[in-house]
Amino acid sequence: MKNLFKPLLIFLGLIFVAIGTIGIFVPGLPTTIFMILAAYCFIRSSEKLYNWVITNKIFGYRVRHFIETKTIPLSGKIHSITAMWIAVTLSLIFLETSLWIKIFIAFLALIGTIVILSYPTAKD
């Protein structure tokens, strides 16, 4: 079982890196959270990949900051919540689906907002 755990974490970490990389180019899709998830996978499976994530020029500082301090800068909170609610609002307006699906999407966005706000704000 232990022999499968490391490759599984590396695989999941690479999936999170791929999604996070897509998030660099797709508005509304977050990058940092997926890179944080990748870092958590890699810290237990691959020191080389973990170091690559936390030293990356584009997102490494934010990932390292969150892992070390467990805080989110105020600007990060504002940007992430704003982007999330813009994407959700557009989805609710233009998505042609049942009311229950729309309620579920709004509920997930509310949970995401609560999670973001539950982390302490970083002191600058």
Side-chain angles (χ1 to χ4, degrees), residues 8-24:
L8 177 64
L9 285 176
I10 291 172
F11 176 74
L12 284 173
L14 292 173
I15 295 294
F16 290 138
V17 166
I19 296 170
T21 302
I22 292 168
I24 293 171

Side-chain angles (χ1 to χ4, degrees), residues 28-77:
L29 182 64
T31 297
T32 306
I33 189 63
F34 288 109
M35 295 305 177
I36 290 169
L37 290 170
Y40 276 116
C41 289
F42 294 149
I43 201 166
R44 291 173 175 74
S45 61
S46 172
E47 185 177 342
K48 183 178 178 180
L49 290 171
Y50 173 74
N51 287 330
W52 174 80
V53 170
I54 65 168
T55 60
N56 187 283
K57 292 177 188 174
I58 298 172
F59 48 78
Y61 171 76
R62 290 184 191 105
V63 173
R64 192 171 52 256
H65 178 270
F66 180 80
I67 290 172
E68 292 172 357
T69 67
K70 301 289 189 273
T71 62
I72 303 173
L74 181 60
S75 63
K77 287 182 175 187

